[in-house]
Amino acid sequence: STWGRVLEKNPAVRDLIESRQSQQEFIHFSWLVSEDLDKEKTIKLLDNVAKSTVEFDIQSGGIGIFTGNVPAITYGLVRNDQASRIQSRIWNNCLGHMGSMNMKYAPDRWIPHITILHYGLQAREYCEFLEKSIDTEVSFTIQVNNLAIIYKDENSAGLLHKVDLQKKVRGLG
């Protein structure tokens, strides 16, 4: 898997990353985050977006840090035109049926990323991760081939819905 290859590039931090992820968590990047949603309308929206969207690739962009009360270390992803169009479409269509949407995911502020370390870390653990990663090239490509609704609360995480994007038409020959 792509994620396995990424972790193999930096075995010094692999154990720290894996120890912080529960079995129910998904390696993903988020198009938007909301505390409340109309499940049926959101499923219908994702299904419609998936019907008109062809799978595509997105490149990594290095290690990122989100500061604040709950800091996060991420693998940044390079925002491309297709990802921006999809994210804007999802955001704009969800505005009417989601509550408490995180404005950091609004189209003009969205930074695509894979969160790798977030909750429950001491400041020294963030520093340790950076020290062990600073001389490691982390470059990868992700094929975006589905959209999903996932959830996470204090007690659990899981998958509510997943729909595949349209397959690329491969050239003949």
Side-chain angles (χ1 to χ4, degrees):
S1 74
T2 299
W3 187 242
R5 288 190 301 277
V6 169
L7 292 178
E8 287 305 314
K9 288 183 180 184
N10 193 348
V13 298
R14 180 182 56 233
D15 292 340
L16 179 61
I17 293 170
E18 289 177 341
S19 71
R20 296 296 177 176
Q21 294 175 332
S22 73
Q23 290 292 79
Q24 298 120 341
E25 287 188 76
F26 297 89
I27 304 303
H28 68 280
F29 70 93
S30 300
W31 300 98
L32 64 83
V33 173
S34 172
E35 291 182 18
D36 185 35
L37 67 105
D38 180 317
K39 183 178 168 184
E40 296 308 315
K41 286 182 181 178
T42 305
I43 288 172
K44 185 176 179 182
L45 166 72
L46 287 189
D47 288 348
N48 286 337
V49 170
K51 285 177 191 172
S52 61
T53 303
V54 175
E55 62 190 13
F56 64 98
D57 292 339
I58 194 164
Q59 302 294 314
S60 64
I63 294 174
I65 300 173
F66 293 132
T67 60
N69 291 337
V70 184
I73 295 179
T74 69
Y75 286 138
L77 301 173
V78 178
R79 183 173 173 161
N80 61 34
D81 289 342
Q82 188 162 9
S84 292
R85 281 193 304 274
I86 294 166
Q87 194 273 342
S88 182
R89 183 174 172 197
I90 292 170
W91 176 272
N92 291 325
N93 284 289
C94 285
L95 274 175
H97 59 272
M98 286 191 168
S100 300
M101 290 173 70
N102 185 331
M103 295 309 291
K104 291 178 181 175
Y105 291 81
D108 60 342
R109 295 181 65 193
W110 178 61
I111 301 171
H113 64 277
I114 298 171
T115 300
I116 52 177
L117 295 173
H118 198 198
Y119 292 100
L121 290 178
Q122 301 297 317
R124 66 174 171 69
E125 292 174 296
Y126 289 103
C127 294
E128 176 186 333
F129 176 87
L130 293 173
E131 287 173 0
K132 291 180 177 179
S133 299
I134 202 73
D135 62 353
T136 302
E137 173 66 30
V138 180
S139 179
F140 56 91
T141 301
I142 295 175
Q143 183 183 60
V144 179
N145 57 16
N146 69 75
L147 300 174
I149 302 170
I150 61 175
Y151 69 92
K152 182 176 181 181
D153 58 32
E154 297 84 29
N155 303 314
S156 62
L159 176 69
L160 291 176
H161 180 72
K162 178 179 165 184
V163 59
D164 290 335
L165 300 180
Q166 301 302 305
K167 298 288 183 206
K168 287 182 190 175
V169 176
R170 308 282 184 216
L172 298 176

